[in-house]
Amino acid sequence: MRPLAIALIAILLATGCSTPRRDKITVACGASERWCAMMVKRFSDSTGVEAEFVRLSSGEALERIKAAKERQEFDVWHGGPADSYVAAKSQGLLAPYKSEKASEIRHGWADPEYAWSGIYAGVLAFCNNTKELAKRGLQPIHSWRELLDERLRGSVSIAHPATSGTAYTALWTQMELNGRDQDKALGYMRSLHPNVLRYNSSGSAAALQAAKEEAAVGVVFSHDCVAAQEQGYPNLQVTFPQEGTGYELGGLAVLAGAHNPDSARKYVDWALSGESQRLGPLVNSYALPTNTTVPAHSKAADPTTVKLVSYDVEVAGRAKQSLVDRFSAEIARPPV
């Protein structure tokens, strides 16, 4: 055998006959398709790291991440209410990381042990189709009590809390309004059940169902309804429950078992930056930024004018499994 051939064989054996792994990450993304697509593209353009995403509601993401714990399919989890991240942290699914941007995030809007960070905030609202409500002799809905009106039978769009962070925020809002009494909170949801069109897997779907007149009112985060308005649906109106409403703190975390943890941490740094958090309005996303250097958009919900419940994401996260299990057993099974 020629010396050159022998040398080539030796090199191949030493490297395991493999090609270098590409610098690439996969993001489990809990926001809209357009927002997710923009985020991974802008990240790649900014850093040179290739990125792709899979759109999943928070419940679906948590189950996928949990199921793949030993052979994780994602590197980063981005978006979806932080109570799901609290649950994931308790199960050892997150890899703590203190970002270089951590000091720019609003106080209290991140895990104190850096398992996750808040990336945006959204306020739970009613997305009213004024035309459909008028057909039923109703004005835009302004309270949780009004949502139980029998004229709304089969006309309220909401997701299922087993799959949707939006819906779990609605369920936990009832917990806070009822002194964290599970029986009373589930009692309200049971009373609402006859008015529900169907339980969606994704929370933002309710805005589109209201926009397309499939439902008279949707229970969504306000920025999802505003986004639907801007897609050309003039009959939509955002209102907030006068008894008080919950809010989400969208999460961001590096996943334990990430294939490319270094680039996953780069993604977290970039996503927490002011550069990234200014991008939402480009795709009609008007959630509140968590980076203190970025002002809230004029179309974002103003938490100083909306009555908010006290929403402790740590408590909500720890209670999530048992509360969702009861909802699924006593009120409605999760969508398939």
Side-chain angles (χ1 to χ4, degrees), residues 160-236:
H160 195 289
T163 59
S164 162
T166 307
Y168 185 69
T169 301
L171 177 54
W172 190 259
T173 297
Q174 296 307 316
M175 286 284 287
E176 292 292 355
L177 291 173
N178 288 281
R180 297 187 183 173
D181 184 314
Q182 284 199 8
D183 292 334
K184 290 182 180 179
L186 290 168
Y188 174 84
M189 302 304 289
R190 190 176 293 107
S191 297
L192 178 64
H193 180 73
N195 288 4
V196 174
L197 172 65
R198 62 176 174 270
Y199 293 100
N200 304 310
S201 59
S202 171
S204 60
L208 193 58
Q209 286 171 331
K212 293 185 174 182
E213 301 179 2
E214 296 173 21
V217 59
V219 181
V220 295
F221 291 117
S222 64
H223 55 263
D224 288 326
C225 192
V226 173
Q229 286 174 325
E230 295 195 340
Q231 290 175 35
Y233 296 99
N235 294 324
L236 297 182

Side-chain angles (χ1 to χ4, degrees), residues 260-272:
N260 197 339
D262 289 339
S263 291
R265 289 188 283 268
K266 285 182 184 178
Y267 184 92
V268 169
D269 291 339
W270 178 83
L272 293 178

Side-chain angles (χ1 to χ4, degrees), residues 282-293:
L282 297 179
V283 288
N284 307 115
S285 178
Y286 301 107
L288 296 164
T290 60
N291 189 303
T292 54
T293 69

Side-chain angles (χ1 to χ4, degrees), residues 8 28 37 44 71 79 86 107 112 114 168 185 197-198 222-223 228 238 241 262 270 296 304 309 311:
L8 287 172
S44 294
R71 299 183 63 183
V86 172
H107 179 71
Y114 305 105
Y168 185 69
L197 172 65
R198 62 176 174 270
S222 64
H223 55 263
V238 177
D262 289 339
W270 178 83
T304 65
V309 300
Y311 201 105

